[in-house]
Amino acid sequence: MKYSVFELFFLASMLFVFFGCSTEKKQEESSATVSSSPFGKLPNGQEVTAYTMTNTNGVEAKVISYGGIITSLKVPDKDGKLEDVVLGYDTLQGYLDASPYFGAIIGRYGNRIAKGKFTLDSVDYDLAVNNIGNHLHGGLTGFDKVNWNVKEVASEKGVAIELTYQSLDMDEGYPGTLDVTVTYTLGNDNTLEFNYQATTDKKTVVNLTQHSYFNLTGMKDDVLGHELMINADKFIPVDSTLIPTGELRPVAGTPFDFTEFKKVGADIDVENQQLAYGGGFDHCWVLNEDPKEMSLAATAYEPISGRAFDVYTTEPGIQFYSGNFLDGTITGKNDKVYKFRSGFCLETQHFPDSPNQESFPTTILNPGETYQTTTLMKFYVK
């Protein structure tokens, strides 16, 4: 069968359009990437590697093997401009010298344990005391200060890396050899997902979280103008050393009411004993939804940039920390001085001091069980 010149031209055009579109689609699908590069060496000679995850929208998260630290997270503003919205350092040395847990995985136990003591099956355990007479964030060498094994793993959602670490029996005073896996997934819908798993060979306690400090202005201002909603009708009051009293107190009529959007700075300086203890907000909120079901915990929004993110979690609580201990003594990325309240944290977790509080949800992990929790942070523009 013979074709005219016109017909041949038409067929060629159709084939070009078909294969061209197909190629463009494949390029778009494959543009989500993970790359790696050196990020310095630890004093013991171990190499630290940085992993850069980029989704199909150009959103980028950089994670280092040391501490599983998120050193950079670039998300768009209302004009599409990508800026880094987490606090941290340009080099490894900053994290080694003076880091208030910037961007790190926290464990074995996130938050505080009173006087560094707890009891399991009539056996007393003593932990490092490293914060106002209490144990904080896993002790002197918590999971934020170890070099994790990292590898890229497949994800239908976007790109992902898997971090693994084995914490030996009596590490920092905790019983049991704990095998931990944390997976960071950067979805093509601009969701950053944290999936935590752990197993033990001896009865122990576990409470893992992620400790990124956020500033949605891209460090152009402090965080007091950010608007925050926390899906919680109760919070956990603390004593002067920030240990829970055991009460679950209604937020209604207090500065701790974030059930509707409110600026972080709206009530932060009012006269209130709990605010005085924390130097601002540094408390755990009791989430309204049933634990272990993925539900909305909080939403943060910065009106000038338009940046916002929702936090979903299977955890029963969320610690909101308003950067009260940042005091201008830290110079971070791009020579930015981290002044008072220049970053905030939303740490999904079980409640502080749960091993010593029988009425709180348990943090006990037994042999044969798997600890598993998931938190999502979905970034978007309003």
Side-chain angles (χ1 to χ4, degrees):
M1 182 182 292
K2 293 184 177 180
Y3 294 96
S4 68
V5 173
F6 174 78
E7 288 172 325
L8 289 171
F9 178 77
F10 177 77
L11 286 170
S13 299
M14 291 300 98
L15 288 171
F16 177 79
V17 169
F18 174 79
F19 286 111
C21 289
S22 176
T23 301
E24 287 177 5
K25 185 177 181 181
K26 287 180 180 178
Q27 287 176 343
E28 180 182 350
E29 290 174 348
S30 64
S31 63
T33 61
V34 177
S35 61
S36 62
S37 58
F39 199 77
K41 288 186 179 182
L42 297 174
N44 63 7
Q46 287 185 3
E47 293 186 357
V48 174
T49 302
Y51 296 83
T52 303
M53 299 188 291
T54 308
N55 72 7
T56 55
N57 304 314
V59 169
E60 178 191 283
K62 182 175 287 187
V63 181
I64 59 173
S65 55
Y66 179 74
I69 293 169
I70 298 174
T71 63
S72 172
L73 178 61
K74 295 178 180 178
V75 299
D77 66 5
K78 60 188 177 184
D79 298 318
K81 182 180 180 182
L82 290 167
E83 286 184 302
D84 189 359
V85 297
V86 295
L87 278 61
Y89 293 100
D90 290 316
T91 65
L92 177 62
Q93 196 60 47
Y95 294 103
L96 298 177
D97 288 345
S99 179
Y101 307 98
F102 284 146
I105 296 171
I106 302 299
R108 289 187 187 193
Y109 199 97
N111 221 311
R112 295 169 175 85
I113 294 177
K115 299 179 181 178
K117 297 179 181 294
F118 68 93
T119 302
L120 282 178
D121 294 339
S122 301
V123 178
D124 297 331
Y125 294 95
D126 293 314
L127 312 174
V129 172
N130 60 330
N131 183 259
I132 326 176
N134 301 310
H135 178 80
L136 175 68
H137 290 338
L140 300 177
T141 308
F143 290 175
D144 61 299
K145 295 180 180 68
V146 299
N147 205 23
W148 293 67
N149 296 310
V150 186
K151 67 178 182 179
E152 181 181 358
V153 291
S155 173
E156 294 180 353
K157 299 175 182 178
V159 288
I161 57 173
E162 179 184 272
L163 303 94
T164 56
Y165 180 69
Q166 185 178 73
S167 176
L168 298 178
D169 183 32
M170 300 311 295
D171 180 16
E172 288 293 316
Y174 290 94
T177 294
L178 192 75
D179 289 297
V180 186
T181 301
V182 181
T183 305
Y184 289 177
T185 302
L186 178 59
N188 292 325
D189 62 350
N190 297 351
T191 294
L192 190 56
E193 177 177 331
F194 308 101
N195 187 35
Y196 308 88
Q197 289 185 326
T199 58
T200 184
D201 63 357
K202 187 187 296 185
K203 191 172 186 177
T204 191
V205 295
V206 186
N207 186 29
L208 306 179
T209 190
Q210 218 288 332
H211 207 296
S212 286
Y213 287 65
F214 294 96
N215 184 318
L216 299 180
T217 72
M219 285 306 300
K220 295 180 180 65
D221 203 350
D222 59 32
V223 299
L224 299 181
H226 287 58
E227 297 181 9
L228 181 65
M229 185 282 297
I230 302 177
N231 185 21
D233 295 331
K234 296 178 181 178
F235 78 105
I236 300 176
V238 295
D239 64 19
S240 60
T241 68
L242 303 181
I243 293 296
T245 63
E247 178 188 1
L248 305 182
R249 184 178 298 176
V251 299
T254 78
F256 295 83
D257 189 350
F258 284 92
T259 51
E260 295 183 358
F261 278 101
K262 181 175 70 173
K263 287 187 176 182
V264 169
D267 298 323
I268 201 168
D269 292 322
V270 303
E271 187 174 344
N272 178 278
Q273 184 64 75
Q274 285 298 307
L275 289 176
Y277 283 157
F281 297 109
D282 192 6
H283 297 72
C284 189
W285 272 251
V286 181
L287 297 174
N288 289 335
E289 306 300 327
D290 290 336
K292 297 187 179 179
E293 294 294 328
M294 184 66 70
S295 57
L296 180 65
T299 298
Y301 167 57
E302 201 285 302
I304 297 175
S305 69
R307 293 187 181 97
F309 68 96
D310 297 329
V311 181
Y312 293 84
T313 190
T314 57
E315 290 278 36
I318 188 167
Q319 184 90 3
F320 168 46
Y321 169 55
S322 52
N324 314 311
F325 300 111
L326 297 173
D327 58 5
T329 59
I330 291 176
T331 299
K333 291 177 288 186
N334 301 312
D335 292 326
K336 290 283 187 180
V337 176
Y338 294 149
K339 298 179 181 178
F340 190 46
R341 295 172 179 159
S342 59
F344 69 93
C345 303
L346 290 170
E347 307 156 54
T348 56
Q349 58 186 252
H350 269 57
F351 302 162
D353 198 37
S354 291
N356 297 310
Q357 306 270 353
E358 291 184 1
S359 63
F360 287 1
T362 184
T363 55
I364 292 174
L365 180 66
N366 293 296
E369 298 176 344
T370 299
Y371 170 99
Q372 183 165 2
T373 72
T374 302
T375 293
L376 310 176
M377 293 183 173
K378 185 169 185 177
F379 292 85
Y380 57 96
V381 171
K382 288 179 67 173

